[in-house]
Amino acid sequence: MKAFRLDELEAERAANDGAYLQFLKERNMSVGLYALNAGELDPQQPHREDEVYFVVSGRASITVGTETTQVGRGSVVYVPAGVPHKFHHITEDLRIMVIFSPPES
């Protein structure tokens, strides 16, 4: 078993001065913590992997392809591989669990 604490992952991510911390990589998936602060721009480009976002905290909008929705704590969003997507109008600091399948390369 591998177990993680969100507060420890957030501290590690912040200590490494990065918006993203991959903390688990297995044969069929990888998992990371993504952080965007209020007012920040999301620099993401489409990924080669399917992904699922689980919003741990914060508020924003996300556009996936041509669809836009608001997200907040507890929101889950699926993004198919290769589809453009961005978080925007971030009104509260976002902390997002990201699951990639297959693992992000």
Side-chain angles (χ1 to χ4, degrees), residues 47-82:
H47 301 97
R48 295 188 316 229
E49 306 83 11
D50 286 344
E51 60 187 311
V52 172
Y53 291 116
F54 171 71
V55 179
V56 175
S57 62
R59 290 196 169 283
S61 293
I62 184 171
T63 298
V64 178
T66 60
E67 296 180 272
T68 299
T69 192
Q70 292 185 329
V71 295
R73 181 177 177 219
S75 296
V76 177
V77 178
Y78 166 68
V79 179

Side-chain angles (χ1 to χ4, degrees), residues 1 21 25 47 85:
M1 173 174 69
L21 171 71
K25 186 171 185 177
H47 301 97
H85 57 285

Side-chain angles (χ1 to χ4, degrees), residues 13 19 22 28-29 31 45 59 69 90:
R13 184 206 57 77
Q22 179 178 281
N28 292 318
M29 62 174 243
V31 184
Q45 298 297 318
R59 290 196 169 283
T69 192
I90 302 168

Side-chain angles (χ1 to χ4, degrees), residues 36-42 89-93:
L36 292 167
N37 293 325
E40 197 171 352
L41 297 176
D42 184 1
H89 296 96
I90 302 168
T91 58
E92 294 177 18
D93 295 352

